[in-house]
């Protein structure tokens, strides 16, 4: 079982550019959530996808968007990058959307905006 | 809104010392509570969880008890090892919603 895989592992972008991050969930999982973890901080919830729809959204601007594919994999897109978007982006997968189900995290994509 | 507050770090202990990392929460409903651990260069791993008041989660010698009256979920271990060095995150999720709300994390270093 490969667990949750994210790509790429590291990325450097210039302000104003757009970026796409990818996530493959753990086998058998149907729900994907994305988190932003700034240096020295706890992860912050961006949004969650289930059945190819955005089900919940955190306090992030519309520049952050996502997609879930029929095979449950997911993409996170960020437009018009700002320096403040530099962070570790974590993907988590789970089975269903219940509050007590275990979320499995990938190792993250480190995004640096220069 | 919901929030989690952890004790400020970093925390440095000697091997075999007793560990407590404090965590308190604010929530409108009846959340599930979690401790996640992040080892250097790795993603977050679930360490333990509790889903209702007075539940005790335990794993790898770590324990935490869901205290509704004090809105707390403190992490404890009786005898820490060098391999326990990591960043520990307390988190909650509201019933029926899997959005995790994390504390700021506590960096733990264990010296031999």
């Amino acid at each position: 079982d490969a667990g949750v895989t994210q790509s790429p592992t590291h990325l450097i972008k210039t302000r104003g550019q757009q970026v796409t991050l990818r996530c493959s969930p753990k086998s058998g999982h149907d729900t994907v959530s994305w988190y932003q973890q700034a240096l020295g901080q706890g992860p912050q919830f961006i949004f969650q996808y289930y059945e190819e729809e955005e089900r919940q959204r955190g306090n992030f601007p519309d520049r952050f968007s996502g997609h879930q594919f029929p095979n449950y994999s997911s993409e996170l897109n960020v437009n018009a990058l700002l320096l403040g978007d530099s962070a570790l982006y974590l993907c988590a997968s789970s089975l269903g959307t219940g509050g007590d189900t275990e979320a499995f995290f990938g190792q993250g994509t480190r995004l640096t905006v220069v | 809104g919901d929030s989690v507050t952890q004790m400020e770090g970093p925390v440095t202990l000697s091997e075999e010392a007793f560990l407590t990392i404090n965590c308190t929460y604010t929530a409108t409903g009846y959340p599930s509570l979690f401790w996640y651990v992040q080892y250097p260069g790795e993603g977050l791993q679930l360490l333990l969880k509790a889903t209702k008041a007075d539940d005790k989660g335990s794993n790898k010698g770590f324990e935490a008890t869901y205290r509704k009256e004090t809105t707390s979920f403190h992490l404890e271990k009786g005898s820490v090892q060098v391999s326990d060095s990591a960043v520990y995150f307390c988190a909650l999720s509201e019933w029926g919603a899997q959005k995790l709300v994390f504390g700021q994390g506590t960096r733990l270093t264990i010296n031999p």
Side-chain angles (χ1 to χ4, degrees), chain A residues 4-6 9 88-91 105-110, chain B residues 38 40-44:
Chain A
V4 180
T5 58
Q6 293 186 242
T9 53
L88 180 67
Y89 288 85
L90 295 167
C91 171
F105 284 80
Q107 290 189 300
T109 294
R110 173 73 62 187
Chain B
Q38 190 172 36
E42 298 185 16
L44 292 167

Side-chain angles (χ1 to χ4, degrees), chain B residues 25-96:
Chain B
Y25 67 90
T26 301
T28 52
Y30 300 95
S32 295
L33 301 175
F34 306 83
W35 276 100
Y36 279 84
V37 59
Q38 190 172 36
Y39 297 103
E42 298 185 16
L44 292 167
Q45 300 175 25
L46 178 65
L47 180 59
L48 53 84
K49 71 176 184 182
T51 58
K52 61 182 188 297
D54 299 325
D55 267 2
K56 177 186 282 188
S58 61
N59 186 25
K60 300 181 181 179
F62 291 89
E63 293 183 340
T65 300
Y66 189 139
R67 301 287 187 199
K68 188 170 181 291
E69 63 276 13
T70 55
T71 62
S72 65
F73 193 55
H74 304 321
L75 182 68
E76 296 182 337
K77 186 174 184 182
S79 177
V80 292
Q81 306 300 314
V82 172
S83 58
D84 294 327
S85 298
V87 181
Y88 292 80
F89 293 94
C90 185
L92 67 80
S93 68
E94 284 284 8
W95 184 86

Side-chain angles (χ1 to χ4, degrees), chain A residues 31 33 35 37 40-43 45 48 56 58 88 90 94 96-103 105-107, chain B residues 32 34 36 38 41-46 49 51 89 93-105:
Chain A
T31 302
S33 301
Y35 292 81
Q37 185 178 12
Q41 301 296 314
F45 178 80
Q48 181 186 80
Q56 295 184 77
L88 180 67
L90 295 167
S94 62
T97 58
D100 61 349
T101 58
E102 181 176 351
F105 284 80
Q107 290 189 300
Chain B
S32 295
F34 306 83
Y36 279 84
Q38 190 172 36
E42 298 185 16
L44 292 167
Q45 300 175 25
L46 178 65
K49 71 176 184 182
T51 58
F89 293 94
S93 68
E94 284 284 8
W95 184 86
Q98 219 215 26
K99 165 188 171 182
L100 286 163
V101 177
F102 287 88
Q104 71 270 33

Side-chain angles (χ1 to χ4, degrees), chain A residues 60-111:
Chain A
F60 279 80
D62 292 344
R63 297 187 297 109
F64 289 77
S65 63
H67 188 76
Q68 186 179 35
F69 299 94
N71 66 353
Y72 307 120
S73 67
S74 177
E75 288 182 349
L76 164 65
N77 300 293
V78 187
N79 294 323
L81 284 167
L82 304 174
L83 295 179
D85 295 331
S86 296
L88 180 67
Y89 288 85
L90 295 167
C91 171
S93 74
S94 62
L95 180 60
T97 58
D100 61 349
T101 58
E102 181 176 351
F104 288 77
F105 284 80
Q107 290 189 300
T109 294
R110 173 73 62 187
L111 172 65

